[in-house]
Amino acid sequence: MTRVAVIRFPGSNCEPDAYRAVEREGGSAFYVFHRETDLRDADAVILPGGFSYGDYLRSGAIARFSPIMAAVERHAADGKPVAGFCNGFQILCESGLLPGGLMRNATLKYVSRPVDCRIERTDTPFTSAYRTGEVIRIPVGHGDGRYTASDEVLDHLENRGLVVIRYVEGGLLDAPANPNGSARNIAGISNPEGNVVGMMPHPERLAHDLLGSNAGTRVFASLMRWKRPALVTNS
Amino acid sequence: MTFRIHVRVMPRRGLLDPQGQAVEGALKALKFPDATNVHVGRAIEFDLVAADQSAAATAARAMCAKLLANPVTEDYEIEVEPK
């Protein structure tokens, strides 16, 4: 059974959703507090959404120095799966596990709504259950979601196929496809090895039939079928 | 010696600064049309004990690189003031 550590920072608020989404897909989820230093033999780590440390200084800036993050960095370096959703993505960028940064939305508005996103890369532990090019409608909720990086880094991400999920024009009326002004419509990326994935959308918030859609469920289904030797890299 | 460190963190030059634009729009609405290129950043101040001014500046730069500013999205300036 896949053991998934869901990290709890002061100010996290999506960790129960992530926990339940893992359990519904047959995994074993457990919370790890930010002050802990050991991931208790987790197979995978989820950095949940929320407002860790009140988003003080910059979103994710203080969480990245939490005691648990050294263990998360080792886990990532070992090639094991690490995902960050929303604030988790911000923390991954602040920690340097993923390149670039997330700035204030171009519209200055906190955006909380569904967006249409295309799954660009399916050889990661978090997207293998999707079809490449598949478009899903999934919620975002953030004020600092504008993905920003130098042109050099953006070109690198594109050329190496490291953009995992991207905002696309869809059937949503009266709303721009790109909710926050992200460079090249980037909603989520991975590291070159593919084991570290960050995205602004919230798959854990749409992972139950009761919600009218389970578009996010397969992020967790993907993780359940992840086997370390099968990890494909394009590096 | 104790120094007072002033750090000024601004959105990286050339990147979209929606806060600056919003404030500029508000200034125009208040009939201050001559204010342009408005940018909004953050100021951080603290006391720092260091051997001398240069050591204080070195320490403050390390703090900026690691925590106080994000080199991907922000520029910073440091001022070291003897107390």
Side-chain angles (χ1 to χ4, degrees), chain A residues 57-114:
Chain A
L57 198 59
R58 295 178 305 278
S59 301
I62 297 179
R64 74 144 292 194
F65 293 107
S66 289
I68 195 60
M69 285 305 291
V72 173
E73 284 167 27
R74 280 196 303 275
H75 185 91
D78 288 344
K80 297 180 193 165
V82 177
F85 307 129
C86 196
N87 190 221
F89 184 20
Q90 293 162 338
I91 295 168
L92 288 173
C93 286
E94 282 285 341
S95 69
L97 286 170
L98 291 174
L102 294 142
M103 298 183 76
R104 187 64 42 91
N105 292 348
T107 54
L108 268 186
K109 285 182 189 157
Y110 186 97
V111 53
S112 179
R113 64 170 170 88

Side-chain angles (χ1 to χ4, degrees), chain A residues 57-58 61-62 64-65 93-94 99-108 146 148-150 181, chain B residues 9 11-12 15-19 21-23 42 44 64 66-74:
Chain A
L57 198 59
R58 295 178 305 278
I62 297 179
R64 74 144 292 194
F65 293 107
C93 286
E94 282 285 341
L102 294 142
M103 298 183 76
R104 187 64 42 91
N105 292 348
T107 54
L108 268 186
R146 172 165 50 109
T148 305
S150 67
Chain B
V9 183
R12 171 146 282 188
L15 295 179
L16 177 69
D17 175 15
Q19 288 189 95
Q21 289 179 346
V23 172
R42 150 180 359 107
I44 302 164
C64 284
K66 221 171 170 184
L67 175 66
L68 302 182
N70 181 336
V72 177
T73 57
E74 296 170 324

Side-chain angles (χ1 to χ4, degrees), chain A:
Chain A
M1 186 183 281
T2 309
R3 289 170 51 78
V4 182
V6 179
I7 312 297
R8 242 183 178 158
F9 299 96
S12 295
N13 62 17
C14 297
E15 72 275 27
D17 307 71
Y19 182 107
R20 290 190 199 109
V22 167
E23 294 265 322
R24 272 196 298 272
E25 291 307 304
S28 168
F30 53 96
Y31 294 125
V32 175
F33 198 47
H34 70 121
R35 286 222 181 88
E36 296 182 49
T37 54
D38 181 52
L39 289 168
R40 293 186 243 139
D41 203 29
D43 296 307
V45 175
I46 292 177
L47 304 181
F51 300 87
S52 58
Y53 293 88
D55 276 351
Y56 293 163
L57 198 59
R58 295 178 305 278
S59 301
I62 297 179
R64 74 144 292 194
F65 293 107
S66 289
I68 195 60
M69 285 305 291
V72 173
E73 284 167 27
R74 280 196 303 275
H75 185 91
D78 288 344
K80 297 180 193 165
V82 177
F85 307 129
C86 196
N87 190 221
F89 184 20
Q90 293 162 338
I91 295 168
L92 288 173
C93 286
E94 282 285 341
S95 69
L97 286 170
L98 291 174
L102 294 142
M103 298 183 76
R104 187 64 42 91
N105 292 348
T107 54
L108 268 186
K109 285 182 189 157
Y110 186 97
V111 53
S112 179
R113 64 170 170 88
V115 293
D116 284 335
C117 291
R118 188 168 61 231
I119 306 290
E120 305 276 59
R121 184 174 175 183
T122 52
D123 59 345
T124 81
F126 300 96
T127 53
S128 65
Y130 292 94
R131 295 185 312 277
T132 307
E134 182 174 352
V135 174
I136 60 172
R137 182 163 292 176
I138 191 166
V140 292
H142 58 250
D144 297 316
R146 172 165 50 109
Y147 185 73
T148 305
S150 67
D151 286 337
E152 190 185 9
V153 168
L154 292 170
D155 288 341
H156 173 80
L157 292 172
E158 299 282 8
N159 296 339
R160 297 280 288 272
L162 303 181
V163 177
V164 173
I165 179 167
R166 202 187 301 263
Y167 306 113
V168 291
E169 297 293 341
L172 286 164
L173 299 176
D174 303 325
N178 182 334
N180 49 37
S182 285
R184 306 193 192 182
N185 288 357
I186 288 171
I189 58 172
S190 78
N191 64 345
E193 293 75 22
N195 63 306
V196 179
V197 172
M199 65 178 76
M200 287 315 294
H202 282 283
E204 78 286 0
R205 287 192 190 170
L206 206 52
H208 197 294
D209 289 332
L210 271 178
L211 299 171
S213 165
N214 53 14
T217 303
R218 277 177 286 162
V219 166
F220 305 93
S222 300
L223 188 53
M224 295 309 117
R225 63 191 205 184
W226 177 79
K227 296 276 187 291
R228 189 167 182 201
L231 180 67
V232 178
T233 78
N234 69 346
S235 55

